[in-house]
Amino acid sequence: MAGIKIDGKIIAQSVKDRVKKAVHELKTQGISPCLATILVGVDPASATYVKNKHRACEEVGIITKDHKLDVNTTQIQINEIIENLNKDNSVHGILVQLPLPKQLDEFSTTSRISPLKDVDGLTPHNAGLLTMKKAALVACTPSGIMEMFDYHNIDLEGKNIVLINRSNLVGKPLYHLLLEKNATVITCHSRTKNLKGFCQSADIIITAVGDRNKFTLTSDMIKDKAIIIDVAISRFQDKLVGDVDYEKIIEKASFATPVPGGVGPMTVAMLLKNTITAASLSSQIGR
Ligand code: GUN
């Protein structure tokens, strides 16, 4: 029997419905949640992601401020924009779309964001809190994946979970979130030896490589009834694809996410949720 498709669009909608109610609540308290985005350059994929984020904010009543910067923006210029947004009391969340052009340093840029407005959970402060189970703002893709497990009542305790990614936005935060649920987590990456062996022993595989010329997760690499989460999205042979050979894998897995329509919508929904959290934090701190 084929496995169950984890439908990110449906789960994201349930998150958005909750966010919409929370936005209404905040507005009755005189707070109008607002997300500021910064996009540097004209990368078409990044521009589409930012546009989708704005559209989703509009759907739930979150105000947006859109900063589109020239591809040649300097570190000093972007720092100044972030400092101004940090000081602006009408802005609750700040998102710098990644990747950045070469002249801008990702760490210097994102770590400048006020931790209270850090809706990507990327600042050292929030990343550190996550390792101690104290984070209020957690990276959106990892928290979206946790929401997917919750929605399907997938118990993570004692499960062997293989992550194929070690980035600050995906692999590292996921590691901590899964550990909190008492899973046994192995982080694999480009230098891992015998990746197939790790995958074959996993109850759950979460993969985010994003290059089908280099890597495809095929059904011979998973065990029967494994759960497969595909975070990647890239263009391959003129189609949007993830890392997973979904049509074949869903025949063997117990659950799997499609691409598109899997993890992607969750990332956007959790950004909205984080913006609400940041707006509530600001009211508690009484700016
Ligand atoms: N680029 C790809 N995914 C993300 C994300 O979740 N946040 C930011 N800021 N940039 C990204």
Side-chain angles (χ1 to χ4, degrees):
M1 203 176 70
I4 295 168
K5 173 169 95 170
I6 303 181
D7 190 328
K9 287 193 234 161
I10 291 175
I11 307 170
Q13 191 56 52
S14 73
V15 174
K16 285 194 218 167
D17 291 343
R18 277 181 270 149
V19 168
K20 204 170 179 169
K21 284 196 189 113
V23 170
H24 183 74
E25 276 289 304
L26 283 165
K27 284 188 175 165
T28 61
Q29 296 163 35
I31 301 162
S32 292
C34 172
L35 173 71
T37 61
I38 300 176
L39 172 66
V40 189
V42 290
D43 174 63
S46 292
T48 303
Y49 294 143
V50 171
K51 195 157 68 176
N52 290 343
K53 289 169 185 178
H54 280 249
R55 194 178 300 146
C57 283
E58 201 178 311
E59 258 178 67
V60 298
I62 294 175
I63 299 167
T64 52
K65 290 197 176 169
D66 190 9
H67 293 262
K68 286 201 178 74
L69 309 185
D70 187 87
V71 68
N72 296 316
T73 299
T74 64
Q75 190 70 57
I76 291 173
Q77 287 168 326
I78 195 167
N79 289 353
E80 193 182 332
I81 290 168
I82 293 172
E83 294 298 353
N84 286 335
L85 291 171
N86 283 342
K87 281 187 236 145
D88 183 342
N89 284 345
S90 70
V91 170
H92 303 102
I94 303 171
L95 176 136
V96 177
Q97 185 65 26
L98 302 174
L100 291 168
K102 280 194 298 291
Q103 78 278 13
L104 299 176
D105 182 70
E106 210 166 280
F107 178 77
S108 309
T109 307
T110 54
S111 61
R112 194 165 292 274
I113 296 171
S114 157
L116 292 170
K117 299 188 180 189
D118 171 26
V119 285
D120 262 326
L122 270 176
T123 57
H125 183 88
N126 287 325
L129 287 176
L130 179 61
T131 68
M132 297 172 181
K133 293 200 205 178
K134 299 282 183 210
L137 294 169
V138 177
C140 303
T141 301
S143 54
I145 292 169
M146 299 307 283
E147 198 74 34
M148 287 175 139
F149 289 137
D150 255 12
Y151 185 90
H152 284 283
N153 292 316
I154 294 169
D155 183 14
L156 301 172
E157 182 155 321
K159 295 288 185 334
N160 291 327
I161 304 186
V162 162
L163 304 178
I164 313 175
N165 185 284
R166 55 174 160 177
S167 68
N168 293 334
L169 266 175
V170 179
K172 285 181 195 148
L174 258 175
Y175 180 88
H176 294 289
L177 292 171
L178 296 167
L179 210 54
E180 275 176 24
K181 298 287 180 189
N182 300 318
T184 303
V185 193
I186 296 176
T187 303
C188 297
H189 47 77
S190 52
R191 313 288 163 83
T192 297
K193 296 200 169 72
N194 191 19
L195 178 61
K196 187 172 178 176
F198 282 113
C199 289
Q200 284 171 333
S201 70
D203 301 310
I204 300 175
I205 301 170
I206 305 177
T207 181
V209 175
D211 184 350
R212 281 295 273 270
N213 290 309
K214 287 198 184 128
F215 177 72
T216 302
L217 188 76
T218 50
S219 59
D220 61 308
M221 296 170 77
I222 72 163
K223 71 178 188 187
D224 260 351
K225 304 289 169 207
I227 296 171
I228 311 297
I229 308 291
D230 192 351
V231 182
I233 187 153
S234 61
R235 207 160 263 288
F236 184 66
Q237 294 172 350
D238 251 0
K239 277 195 334 206
L240 279 181
V241 295
D243 289 346
V244 173
D245 181 3
Y246 178 80
E247 297 306 329
K248 296 230 175 71
I249 267 200
I250 196 69
E251 293 301 321
K252 191 172 180 184
S254 57
F255 291 90
T257 60
V259 174
V263 173
M266 295 308 297
T267 300
V268 178
M270 299 316 279
L271 172 66
L272 306 177
K273 192 170 174 213
N274 277 350
T275 305
I276 296 307
T277 303
S280 311
L281 287 175
S282 76
S283 70
Q284 285 159 31
I285 283 160
R287 291 184 317 190

